[in-house]
Amino acid sequence: MEPSAVAGTQALLDGREARLLLGLDFAGTYVFAVEGAIAAIAGGLDPLGIMVLSFATALGGGILRDLLIGATPPNSIRDERYAMVAFAGGATVLFLHRFVTYVPPLLLVTLDAAGLSLFAIAGARKALDFGLRPLMAVLMAAITGSGGGTLRDLFLNHVPTVLRADIYAVAALAGALVMVAGQRLGLPSRTMALVGGAACFALRMVSVWRGWSLPHFSLTGME
């Protein structure tokens, strides 16, 4: 194959990966914004508070990730489409709040798990694209997936979910680990992104269903 053809093929693959990363980012942004707005309504916040919490929940983790990997200014600040997607998610809940009050808890958990999965995979992919080693890419996945939820919980005066007993950041770490390991073995990046996201989602949902949790520690020992 001629060099020009190889370069063209590589550019096409790079473009597809870029679109995949952007799609994951937008999907995760919308899902987390909806989840943040629902939490804001449950916490009794006013419309402004709902929109602020939507933005923070949707973009907080990505902003922190970008600052840590040196992608400044953060992409979600530089690209106004992220804010538009986040506010669209908040507005969706705001205008349909009468229906939101009847949303079953299982749906909330499902939305949260979906957002966690999307952001974890997008976070790991971006970290790899910026030249981080696999271990740090996996850690960036956990930060991306749980950072916004941590801000949400702090705004609502709750102990962050990631610091409590249930499997949350661990699910993000597991999903990212699956994706990164598969890519290191030479498997297609798009396929491994789907597999890693599914692993994260499944682990989060099963842990809620089965009541799995990390051990608690107290001054008297492990509980």
Side-chain angles (χ1 to χ4, degrees):
M1 184 179 291
E2 295 183 1
S4 59
V6 173
T9 301
Q10 185 61 45
L12 178 60
L13 292 176
D14 290 344
R16 287 178 177 175
E17 288 195 9
R19 288 193 297 271
L20 173 63
L21 183 62
L22 184 64
L24 289 174
D25 257 353
F26 283 160
T29 296
Y30 185 83
V31 169
F32 264 22
V34 168
E35 194 274 336
I38 292 174
I41 289 178
L45 273 63
D46 62 18
L48 177 60
I50 292 171
M51 300 305 288
V52 168
L53 205 62
S54 294
F55 183 90
T57 305
L59 302 177
I63 290 173
L64 180 57
R65 173 205 64 209
D66 285 354
L67 291 175
L68 290 174
I69 67 176
T72 54
N75 200 42
S76 53
I77 299 298
R78 186 173 63 252
D79 188 343
E80 64 181 8
R81 290 178 296 176
Y82 284 91
M84 292 171 64
V85 171
F87 288 136
T92 299
V93 176
L94 184 61
F95 290 113
L96 299 176
H97 65 279
R98 294 180 181 177
F99 301 99
V100 170
T101 57
Y102 300 102
V103 173
L106 178 60
L107 179 57
L108 297 180
V109 172
T110 303
L111 285 174
D112 192 61
L116 177 67
S117 303
L118 292 167
F119 269 19
I121 297 305
R125 278 298 313 155
K126 186 163 187 178
L128 290 173
D129 289 344
F130 270 73
L132 270 67
R133 302 294 296 172
L135 175 59
M136 297 310 299
V138 171
L139 293 178
M140 289 302 104
I143 290 174
T144 308
S146 60
T150 299
L151 283 177
R152 174 202 66 211
D153 292 342
L154 291 174
F155 278 140
L156 293 173
N157 200 29
H158 299 159
V159 176
T161 301
V162 68
L163 300 180
R164 285 188 270 133
D166 53 357
I167 307 297
Y168 197 84
V170 172
L173 290 169
L177 182 61
V178 169
M179 187 198 73
V180 171
Q183 291 187 196
R184 294 284 288 182
L185 293 174
L187 298 175
S189 60
R190 181 172 296 187
T191 299
M192 293 315 303
L194 293 173
V195 173
C200 176
F201 180 83
L203 179 56
R204 173 63 181 153
M205 294 300 294
V206 171
S207 69
V208 173
W209 171 48
R210 300 291 295 175
W212 292 346
S213 64
L214 297 176
H216 282 191
F217 290 88
S218 66
L219 294 179
T220 59
M222 186 173 68
E223 299 178 359

